[in-house]
Coordinates of all heavy atoms in Angstrom, one line a residue:
L111 N -7.7 10.9 35.0 CA -8.0 11.5 33.6 C -8.9 10.3 32.8 O -9.9 10.6 32.2 CB -6.9 12.0 32.8 CG -6.0 13.0 33.5 CD1 -4.9 13.5 32.5 CD2 -6.9 14.2 33.9
D112 N -8.4 9.1 33.0 CA -9.1 8.0 32.3 C -10.6 8.1 32.8 O -11.5 7.9 32.0 CB -8.6 6.6 32.7 CG -7.2 6.4 32.1 OD1 -6.8 7.2 31.3 OD2 -6.5 5.6 32.7
K113 N -10.8 8.2 34.1 CA -12.1 8.3 34.7 C -12.9 9.4 34.2 O -14.1 9.3 33.8 CB -12.1 8.4 36.2 CG -11.7 7.1 36.8 CD -12.8 6.1 36.7 CE -13.2 5.4 37.8 NZ -14.2 4.2 37.5
I114 N -12.2 10.6 34.0 CA -13.0 11.8 33.5 C -13.5 11.6 32.1 O -14.5 12.1 31.7 CB -12.0 13.0 33.7 CG1 -11.8 13.4 35.1 CG2 -12.6 14.2 32.9 CD1 -10.9 14.5 35.4
F115 N -12.7 10.9 31.2 CA -13.0 10.6 29.9 C -14.2 9.5 29.9 O -14.6 9.1 28.8 CB -11.9 10.1 29.1 CG -11.0 11.3 28.8 CD1 -9.6 11.3 29.2 CD2 -11.5 12.4 28.1 CE1 -8.9 12.5 28.9 CE2 -10.7 13.6 27.9 CZ -9.4 13.5 28.3
G116 N -14.6 8.9 31.1 CA -15.7 8.1 31.1 C -15.5 6.7 30.5 O -16.4 6.0 30.1
C117 N -14.2 6.2 30.6 CA -14.0 4.8 30.1 C -14.3 3.8 31.1 O -14.3 4.0 32.3 CB -12.7 4.7 29.4 SG -11.3 5.2 30.3
N118 N -14.3 2.6 30.7 CA -14.6 1.4 31.5 C -13.2 0.7 31.9 O -12.5 0.4 31.0 CB -15.5 0.4 30.8 CG -16.8 0.9 30.3 OD1 -17.7 1.0 31.1 ND2 -16.7 1.4 29.1
I119 N -13.0 0.7 33.2 CA -11.6 0.2 33.6 C -11.8 -1.2 34.1 O -12.6 -1.6 34.9 CB -11.0 1.1 34.6 CG1 -10.8 2.5 33.9 CG2 -9.7 0.6 35.1 CD1 -10.3 3.6 34.8
H120 N -10.9 -2.1 33.6 CA -10.9 -3.5 34.1 C -9.6 -3.8 34.7 O -8.5 -3.5 34.1 CB -11.1 -4.4 32.9 CG -12.3 -4.2 32.0 ND1 -13.6 -4.8 32.3 CD2 -12.4 -3.2 31.1 CE1 -14.4 -4.3 31.4 NE2 -13.8 -3.4 30.7
W121 N -9.6 -4.2 36.0 CA -8.2 -4.3 36.7 C -7.7 -5.8 36.4 O -8.4 -6.8 36.6 CB -8.4 -4.1 38.2 CG -8.6 -2.6 38.3 CD1 -9.8 -2.0 38.5 CD2 -7.7 -1.6 38.2 NE1 -9.7 -0.7 38.6 CE2 -8.3 -0.3 38.4 CE3 -6.3 -1.6 38.1 CZ2 -7.8 0.9 38.4 CZ3 -5.6 -0.3 38.0 CH2 -6.4 0.9 38.2
A122 N -6.4 -5.9 36.0 CA -5.9 -7.2 35.6 C -4.7 -7.7 36.3 O -4.0 -8.5 35.9 CB -5.5 -7.0 34.1
G123 N -4.5 -7.2 37.5 CA -3.4 -7.7 38.4 C -2.0 -7.5 37.7 O -1.8 -6.3 37.3
K124 N -1.3 -8.5 37.6 CA 0.0 -8.4 37.0 C 0.0 -8.4 35.5 O 1.0 -8.2 34.9 CB 1.0 -9.6 37.4 CG 0.5 -11.0 37.2 CD 1.5 -12.0 37.6 CE 1.0 -13.5 37.4 NZ 0.0 -13.7 36.5
N125 N -1.2 -8.5 34.8 CA -1.2 -8.5 33.4 C -1.4 -7.1 32.8 O -2.5 -6.8 32.5 CB -2.4 -9.5 32.9 CG -2.2 -10.9 33.3 OD1 -1.0 -11.2 33.6 ND2 -3.2 -11.7 33.2
R126 N -0.3 -6.4 32.7 CA -0.6 -5.0 32.2 C -0.2 -4.9 30.8 O -0.3 -3.7 30.2 CB 0.4 -4.1 33.0 CG 1.9 -4.1 32.6 CD 2.7 -3.1 33.3 NE 4.0 -3.5 33.5 CZ 5.0 -3.3 32.7 NH1 4.8 -2.6 31.6 NH2 6.2 -3.7 32.9
K127 N -0.1 -5.9 30.0 CA 0.2 -5.9 28.6 C -0.9 -6.5 27.7 O -0.6 -6.9 26.7 CB 1.6 -6.5 28.3 CG 2.6 -5.7 29.0 CD 4.1 -6.0 28.5 CE 5.1 -5.2 29.1 NZ 6.5 -5.5 28.8
G128 N -2.0 -6.5 28.3 CA -3.2 -6.9 27.4 C -3.5 -8.4 27.4 O -4.3 -8.8 26.5
E129 N -2.9 -9.2 28.3 CA -3.1 -10.6 28.3 C -4.6 -10.9 28.5 O -5.1 -11.9 28.0 CB -2.3 -11.2 29.4 CG -0.8 -11.1 29.4 CD -0.3 -9.8 29.9 OE1 -1.0 -8.8 30.1 OE2 0.9 -9.7 30.2
D130 N -5.4 -10.1 29.2 CA -6.7 -10.4 29.4 C -7.7 -9.9 28.4 O -8.9 -10.0 28.6 CB -7.2 -9.8 30.8 CG -6.3 -10.4 31.9 OD1 -5.6 -11.4 31.7 OD2 -6.5 -10.0 33.1
I131 N -7.2 -9.3 27.3 CA -8.1 -8.7 26.3 C -9.0 -9.7 25.6 O -10.2 -9.4 25.5 CB -7.3 -7.7 25.3 CG1 -6.9 -6.4 26.1 CG2 -8.1 -7.4 24.1 CD1 -6.1 -5.5 25.2
P132 N -8.4 -10.8 25.2 CA -9.4 -11.7 24.4 C -10.6 -12.0 25.1 O -11.7 -12.1 24.4 CB -8.5 -13.0 24.2 CG -7.1 -12.5 24.3 CD -7.1 -11.3 25.3
L133 N -10.6 -12.3 26.4 CA -11.8 -12.6 27.2 C -12.8 -11.4 27.1 O -14.0 -11.6 26.8 CB -11.4 -12.8 28.6 CG -12.4 -13.5 29.6 CD1 -12.6 -14.9 29.0 CD2 -11.9 -13.6 31.0
L134 N -12.3 -10.2 27.3 CA -13.2 -9.0 27.2 C -13.8 -9.0 25.8 O -14.9 -8.6 25.7 CB -12.3 -7.8 27.6 CG -13.1 -6.4 27.6 CD1 -14.2 -6.4 28.6 CD2 -12.1 -5.3 27.9
V135 N -13.0 -9.2 24.8 CA -13.6 -9.1 23.4 C -14.8 -10.0 23.3 O -15.8 -9.6 22.7 CB -12.5 -9.5 22.4 CG1 -13.1 -9.7 21.0 CG2 -11.4 -8.4 22.4

Side-chain angles (χ1 to χ4, degrees):
L111 303 182
D112 296 341
K113 282 299 229 188
I114 291 175
F115 288 118
C117 51
N118 303 277
I119 297 177
H120 308 265
W121 292 98
K124 59 179 174 20
N125 295 344
R126 73 174 154 91
K127 296 193 176 177
E129 295 86 341
D130 295 355
I131 285 180
L133 198 65
L134 180 60
V135 168

